[in-house]
Amino acid sequence: MNGNTYKQEEEINGKHPLTEGGPTISMNELPHHRPLTPLRRIRGIVCLFIILSTAFLLLVYCAPATALFLRLFSIRYSRNATSFFFGTWLSLWPCLFEKINKTKVIFSGQTVPKKERVLLFANHRTEVDWMYMWNLAMRKGRLGQLKYILKSSLMKLPVFGWAFHIMEFVPVERKWEIDEEIMRNHLQRFKDRRDPLWLALFPEGTDYTEQKCIKSQEYAVENGLPILKYVLLPKTRGFSFCVEELRSSLDAVYDVTIAYKHHLPVFLDNVFGTDPAEVHMHIERIQLDEIPSSEAESADWVIERFRLKDELLANFMSTGHFPNEGTEGDLPTLICLLKLFFVIGITGVIIYLTFFCSIFFKIYVGLSCVFLSFVTYYGIQMPQLLGHSADLHKKKSS
C-alpha cells in the first residue's frame, strides 16, 4: 500500500468530471442554515473589522517586543509572551462562532488532557476546518501554542501572514524535495519538552471537493488502495516525518475527524453566521508506540486511519452524530467576555498612543510593519543571542 509519493499525491488533487463511484451527497447544494439578512451582514462586517483591526494593532505593537527583543534573551519566554497575547486575540474567533453566530460545536470520542505535547491530524472537509481547531484548543488553554503545517501561499495573506509567522506556523510548498528541509528546520525548534506544543496538520493536503474525491478514487483503483468516499487519500510522508522528528518529545497523537451539519461552510459563512448549524469533532487518542517507525509501514498506517475516518463519516451522514458525544462542554460566556474586553481595551490604548501621543509611536508602527514584512517574507525567526548558557544549563539539569 506504500508508494504515496509527492508526485503521485499531486495527481490526486487534479480535476476530473463526475463519474460513477463519486459521492452521492453534495452538502453545498443545500440551503444555508440561516438566511443572510441585512442584520447578519452588518454584524459580520463589524465583527470582522474588529478582529482584523485588533490583530493588526497587536501585531505591530507586541510582535517586535515578543518575537524580536525578548527572543534575544530567551526563546521560551518569547514563546510564552507571544502565545499569551496572540492566543488571547485568537480566542475572538471561537467566541464569534459559538457565542455570536450560535454555531454549536459538539465533541465526541476521547478527551485531550490540557498539559500534553501533541500532534493532531484531521480530515479537511472545507477551507475553514483549521479555524474550528481553535475551539478545541481554547477549551484546553492551548490556543497560543497551536501551530499548523500549511501551504506557504497563506503566509502572504495581509495581517494573517504576519501572525502565522510570529506564531511559528510551518509553511510548505507541497514538493517534498523542498519541504523536507523546511520541515526539519522548523521541527527542530519544537523539540524542547518545556515548551507547550499542539502541532496540527491535514494529511489530505487540500480541502475536499467532489472532483478531487473522484481523482483520489481513480488513483486508489489504479494502485490497489482503499476507495474512499468522504475523505481523500492522505499524503503520508509529511505526517510520518513529523512523528519521527518529534517522537521523543510528544506525549500522544490525536486523530480528529470533522463533520458539519448541514452545509459545508466557507469563510464568509463563518463571518456572517449563516452556517454551519453544528460542527462535530470526533477525537481518538493514539499512543506513539502504535505508529510504525518505518516510512513504508507508517504510510500504510496513515491510509488505514483515513479508511476508518471514511467509515466514521459515512456513519455520521446516516445518523447525524458521532459516537460518544458530549466529551467537552460549552465555552464559558464570562471567559469570552473577559478576553473580548481585554483585547479591545489594549487596542484602545494602542490607538490613543498612536494618534494622540508622541510621533515616536507613529515611527514605531512604521518600523514594526517593515520588520514584520521582512521576517515573514524571508521566513526569519530571530535567534537567541543572550543568556544561552543559562538556558543550556537548565535544559541539562531538567
Side-chain angles (χ1 to χ4, degrees):
M1 290 176 66
N2 193 23
N4 204 21
T5 65
Y6 256 48
K7 183 177 180 181
Q8 292 165 331
E9 289 159 355
E10 288 168 358
E11 295 173 2
I12 293 173
N13 299 328
K15 295 186 177 180
H16 194 278
L18 190 63
T19 60
E20 185 179 357
T24 58
I25 297 175
S26 182
M27 295 181 70
N28 280 333
E29 294 178 0
L30 298 172
H32 285 289
H33 176 62
R34 307 177 188 93
L36 180 56
T37 62
L39 178 60
R40 284 198 179 92
R41 190 184 297 272
I42 294 171
R43 185 183 68 187
I45 292 172
V46 170
C47 288
L48 187 61
F49 173 77
I50 291 174
I51 289 174
L52 292 179
S53 59
T54 54
F56 175 77
L57 291 170
L58 282 175
L59 277 166
V60 297
Y61 269 85
C62 297
T66 64
L68 174 60
F69 178 76
L70 189 56
R71 198 175 178 96
L72 296 176
F73 297 90
S74 172
I75 292 176
R76 186 155 64 101
Y77 293 147
S78 169
R79 284 175 173 161
N80 289 342
T82 299
S83 67
F84 171 76
F85 283 108
F86 298 109
T88 302
W89 171 78
L90 278 177
S91 66
L92 298 184
W93 288 99
C95 294
L96 167 65
F97 299 154
E98 296 190 42
K99 299 302 179 181
I100 297 177
N101 292 344
K102 303 298 182 183
T103 296
K104 193 172 183 180
V105 183
I106 300 170
F107 296 90
S108 61
Q110 296 170 282
T111 58
V112 183
K114 290 186 176 182
K115 294 186 177 181
E116 285 189 333
R117 285 173 50 90
V118 303
L119 175 69
L120 307 102
F121 69 98
N123 60 312
H124 205 353
R125 291 291 289 170
T126 181
E127 64 186 40
V128 294
D129 297 317
W130 59 285
M131 302 182 80
Y132 281 104
M133 298 284 275
W134 293 337
N135 294 64
L136 174 61
M138 184 172 175
R139 285 168 166 83
K140 300 301 177 179
R142 286 291 180 258
L143 198 50
Q145 290 87 27
L146 179 59
K147 308 178 190 304
Y148 292 95
I149 297 176
L150 75 173
K151 57 184 179 182
S152 60
S153 60
L154 294 176
M155 303 295 283
K156 297 179 174 62
L157 291 174
V159 183
F160 282 110
W162 292 354
F164 296 162
H165 179 75
I166 294 302
M167 296 182 72
E168 298 184 87
F169 289 11
V170 183
V172 294
E173 300 289 340
R174 295 193 286 193
K175 295 180 179 178
W176 186 245
E177 60 272 18
I178 298 174
D179 293 339
E180 182 177 11
E181 190 62 27
I182 293 173
M183 291 183 65
R184 178 176 287 107
N185 290 337
H186 279 80
L187 296 179
Q188 286 291 330
R189 304 169 188 160
F190 300 155
K191 290 186 176 183
D192 190 342
R193 291 190 64 88
R194 297 175 300 168
D195 293 330
L197 176 67
W198 273 34
L199 180 63
L201 72 158
F202 297 88
E204 290 162 284
T206 184
D207 55 332
Y208 178 99
T209 68
E210 288 185 350
Q211 288 182 331
K212 293 172 186 176
C213 183
I214 293 165
K215 198 69 175 178
S216 176
Q217 290 172 341
E218 291 177 346
Y219 179 83
V221 170
E222 293 171 0
N223 292 273
L225 300 173
I227 300 174
L228 308 176
K229 186 175 182 180
Y230 298 103
V231 294
L232 309 178
L233 282 171
K235 299 180 178 183
T236 60
R237 187 173 284 173
F239 172 85
S240 301
F241 189 80
C242 287
V243 171
E244 289 312 303
E245 286 291 310
L246 298 174
R247 187 183 286 270
S248 62
S249 64
L250 292 176
D251 294 305
V253 172
Y254 285 88
D255 183 348
V256 181
T257 303
I258 305 173
Y260 298 91
K261 275 188 182 180
H262 56 105
H263 194 281
L264 295 179
V266 296
F267 178 72
L268 290 180
D269 293 334
N270 275 341
V271 171
F272 296 131
T274 56
D275 270 299
E278 296 178 4
V279 181
H280 291 252
M281 300 179 71
H282 185 79
I283 301 167
E284 184 173 347
R285 178 186 173 90
I286 299 165
Q287 298 289 352
L288 270 300
D289 57 13
E290 296 178 36
I291 304 174
S293 57
S294 76
E295 185 176 332
E297 292 177 344
S298 177
D300 291 346
W301 184 90
V302 175
I303 292 173
E304 174 62 14
R305 292 304 310 182
F306 270 77
R307 187 191 68 79
L308 296 174
K309 276 182 182 293
D310 199 61
E311 290 182 356
L312 194 61
L313 286 165
N315 184 64
F316 177 89
M317 293 298 179
S318 62
T319 64
H321 62 84
F322 287 130
N324 190 29
E325 285 188 346
T327 54
E328 302 288 346
D330 295 335
L331 287 177
T333 301
L334 179 61
I335 297 298
C336 292
L337 289 174
L338 288 175
K339 289 179 179 290
L340 174 63
F341 291 146
F342 177 78
V343 172
I344 291 178
I346 287 183
T347 304
V349 172
I350 290 172
I351 290 174
Y352 175 78
L353 293 175
T354 304
F355 293 100
F356 301 103
C357 287
S358 169
I359 193 173
F360 165 79
F361 293 101
K362 296 180 178 64
I363 295 173
Y364 177 83
V365 169
L367 293 175
S368 179
C369 290
V370 173
F371 164 72
L372 288 168
S373 299
F374 180 81
V375 296
T376 301
Y377 183 81
Y378 289 103
I380 298 171
Q381 292 290 348
M382 305 305 296
Q384 178 177 327
L385 300 178
L386 304 174
H388 190 59
S389 59
D391 263 13
L392 282 178
H393 177 73
K394 289 179 183 177
K395 199 168 184 178
K396 290 178 181 178
S397 62
S398 62

